[in-house]
Amino acid sequence: MANRPIRTYTVLPHLPERLQPLHKLAHNVWWCWNQEAIALFRRIDEERLEACDNSPVRLLSAIKQERLDELLNDDGFLVHMDRVARSLDNYLTCPTWFQETYGDEATPPETLADRYRVAYFSAEFGLHESIPVYSGGLGLLAGDHLKSASDLGLPLIGVGLMYREGYFRQYLTVDGWQQERYPENDFFNLPLIPETRPDGSPVTISVPFPGREVKARIWRIQVGRVPLYLLDTNIPQNSPDDRQITSRLYGGDHDMRIRQEMILGIGGIRALRALGKDPAVCHMNEGHSAFCGLERIRVMMEEHSLDFATAREAVMAGTCFTTHTPVPAGNDMFGPQLIEHYFAAYVPQLKLDMQDLMALGRQNPKDYNEPFCMTVLALKLSNISNGVSKLHGSVSRKMWKAIWPELPEAEIPITSITNGVHIRSWLAPEITQLFERYLGIQWEEKPTDHSIWRKIDNIPNAELWRTHERRRERLVAFARARLRSQLKRRGAPPAEIARADEVLDPDALTISFARRFATYKRANLLFRNLDRLAAIINNKDRPVQIIFAGKAHPRDHGGKELITEIIHIARRPEFRRRIVFIEDYDINVARYLTQGVDVWLNNPRRPLEASGTSGMKAACNGALNLSILDGWWCEAYAGDNGWAIGAGEEYTDLAYQDEVESRAIYDMLEEEIVPTFYNRSSDGSPRNWLKAMKRCLSTICPVFNTNRMVQEYLETSYAPSAERFGKLAKDNLDKAAALAKWRRGVVRDWARIKVESVEAHGTDAMQVGGKLEVQARVNLGGLSPENVQVQLFHGVMDNQGDIPLPSTVPMSTNGSPQGHAWTFKGIIPCSASGQHGFAVRVLPYHPDLANPFEPGLVCWG
């Protein structure tokens, strides 16, 4: 085709003045967790809204002028619209939890926001199905994080990429093999607000690439009070190849991945600076954005004429990192050649050589064959790092202990903050009404208040059960409709399409397995014994049905084979009406499933599930979890609020594990779950099942929600990091320079430290309640006692001769050295019987150090 000079222009929907509030409401995704706002847009045209992926922006673009005229004359609609508009205004202007907790009369709100501003970086954000810039759990967690930050009033900003195609849409062939299609996002029918300069031109930033600068424009999605800034390289200033960088989420090879991560990390910091939004703290949600730490260091070096070490101290103080991946293969790694290619011109600006940069991304800086790992870079540039459940924190400490080889595993500086879900986004409207009737309105404002959730017991059993049954009926109707459309698209014969109306039973016990189809999640575990499964689900008096949904990564053939296996089994005569696979799993499908099922099944190989949040979404709607004790379920399972598969065992023989745990599921279904569901009282409701539902709601909702999670991040990560950053950055970064100088001296002299002698003054055996006095002679080389902590490391011994759960006691000195040798004393309390052990160790100490373990320096006696 010949090149033609095409000029562009934008056409916007014309809304009459009286209906202008609809435009404002549609462009703040607050509507997606406000039931009245959702009902307002449904009132305009429910069928068209559903056809538009439930997008108010697309609805307003597609609605006919005649319908708008009707709405202008519909007093009920106008009153409804005004009420929702007032609700949004009140939400945006009312005092917030953050202001009330961290503010004071002497501090203006703007100053408070500057002091604690957090930039939350993520490669994906799952806000709503109509904004397809997410793939799965990581993105949904990020979206819920922003929503709760908005509810709490945190001065938080989201930073990500605006993908032209987003993640793939799934469809299956006649044989059940997953295929992918990548429809383009229509930016002008998304709630995107372009960031512009005063003259109306778009704000752009540039990122240095080999031989060129790649430019990106900035879009904003308003998430309640929180802005989410998304970078887009598909602009005319870039080459065709560079315009593809933000084309597809998790698409392409390593070369494309590193380019995306440079735009996200380096470009993200430059975008915030271009918008005048310098953060006090950067939170990296997974390692994809770790280059943001390098860019903050570069900027600080340039603006304050600093060396790398000084700027790094300040940047580390203001950086947090969350890892989500419990397997090494899931962490981005790049070969040295790729790093050298893309950072050859950037490294001199950091006043480093290439090997210095590579060392920052290696567990062993001296292993030149080790690839550059983004997770390692993030760990080394953060002052606080965490996993996403208690078990995942332990797994992460084991995974990354080589970075701190001298530390016991329990003291590796990776903690945990367990994930949650934004309850209001996932709650069924009928359950919301039930909560408002029996819990009051406080549950929305204070979802972490246990006393409110204890009122769940006030809900009459019959009313809770009727509400739940209506939601199951709605799920069955949705599943049948989706199955019909799937069969029509595949060209199935009319008789088969007609049979779609007969699948599933609105009154039968309904189980769902819906998640990413990775092989370790074992989607086919239920099918180890098909005869036994058929007997369970086809019981005439107590039928059971199972709904599957989920996507495999386009390059994961093992995951695709699992989908095919399920499709083939679901087509067998004995399973045809009882097992259904719903294609193209997304937020909308997840909403129907989590709001309508009775049991949420999760059976990964422990400990490979970092957290898992889909079960939380089901639980807040009253569904009961049947899950391996992995991820969040280890903490949530209370014995009477769902079911556990096994007791937390881990296996080396995987085939044996599959056999044992599949049998455990069958046993649980036959002996516990099915009888409890179908054992009805005189009013037709399952009394014991409802008792478990109420325990599920009252124990899980107040804990596993993102309000609790974000508050925990604020209290343990954001606020301490903001304060450390402010402390090190003031007075032209004098304290950061002093800390960098101290670190250089400690690293230089550490090898000279030696514990020369240890003496214990006590008997063997000691008595409970006694005290073991220990004296140690420690040669500190050129260091002084103010530079170190000398500790007694003690605790109960295990059969390997280790102390798995250590305690520490500080040792003090009398201040009278003999040369470089100092005498330190300490006392170990004998508080429990058993075989105990102790050791003397020396750690570095500085008042501005985030924690004594971070430098990785330990001298053991």
Side-chain angles (χ1 to χ4, degrees), residues 750-757 777-781 842 859-860:
W750 196 257
R752 296 165 58 192
I753 295 178
K754 183 179 181 183
V755 179
E756 295 181 342
S757 65
R777 179 182 172 88
V778 183
N779 190 320
L780 296 180
V842 187
C859 176
W860 292 93

Side-chain angles (χ1 to χ4, degrees), residues 362-375:
R362 287 171 169 157
Q363 295 190 67
N364 179 359
K366 297 177 182 177
D367 181 357
Y368 299 127
N369 295 316
E370 184 181 334
F372 185 95
C373 177
M374 295 296 282
T375 302

Side-chain angles (χ1 to χ4, degrees), residues 360-415:
L360 287 171
R362 287 171 169 157
Q363 295 190 67
N364 179 359
K366 297 177 182 177
D367 181 357
Y368 299 127
N369 295 316
E370 184 181 334
F372 185 95
C373 177
M374 295 296 282
T375 302
V376 174
L377 177 64
L379 288 166
K380 289 186 176 182
L381 294 184
S382 304
N383 81 128
I384 297 172
S385 300
N386 69 276
V388 290
S389 67
K390 288 179 182 177
L391 178 60
H392 181 233
S394 175
V395 170
S396 298
R397 289 188 288 275
K398 190 186 301 286
M399 274 182 67
W400 304 110
K401 62 184 179 183
I403 299 174
W404 300 273
E406 293 295 319
L407 285 177
E409 193 175 290
E411 292 180 328
I412 298 299
I414 302 174
T415 182

Side-chain angles (χ1 to χ4, degrees), residues 129-206:
E129 64 265 25
S130 64
I131 310 169
V133 291
Y134 67 93
S135 72
L138 178 72
L140 296 182
L141 185 277
D144 282 7
H145 195 113
L146 298 196
K147 292 172 185 178
S148 278
S150 172
D151 289 343
L152 295 166
L154 265 67
L156 185 138
I157 299 166
V159 182
L161 300 179
M162 187 60 223
Y163 303 99
R164 182 64 55 176
E165 295 174 349
Y167 205 51
F168 71 90
R169 306 297 296 266
Q170 177 197 56
Y171 66 96
L172 304 182
T173 65
V174 173
D175 197 40
W177 188 256
Q178 174 183 290
Q179 297 288 301
E180 300 86 29
R181 61 186 180 88
Y182 293 87
E184 282 206 2
N185 288 325
D186 181 357
F187 282 27
F188 294 98
N189 277 314
L190 290 171
L192 290 174
I193 303 163
E195 289 296 321
T196 58
R197 298 188 181 90
D199 64 1
S201 61
V203 177
T204 60
I205 55 95
S206 63

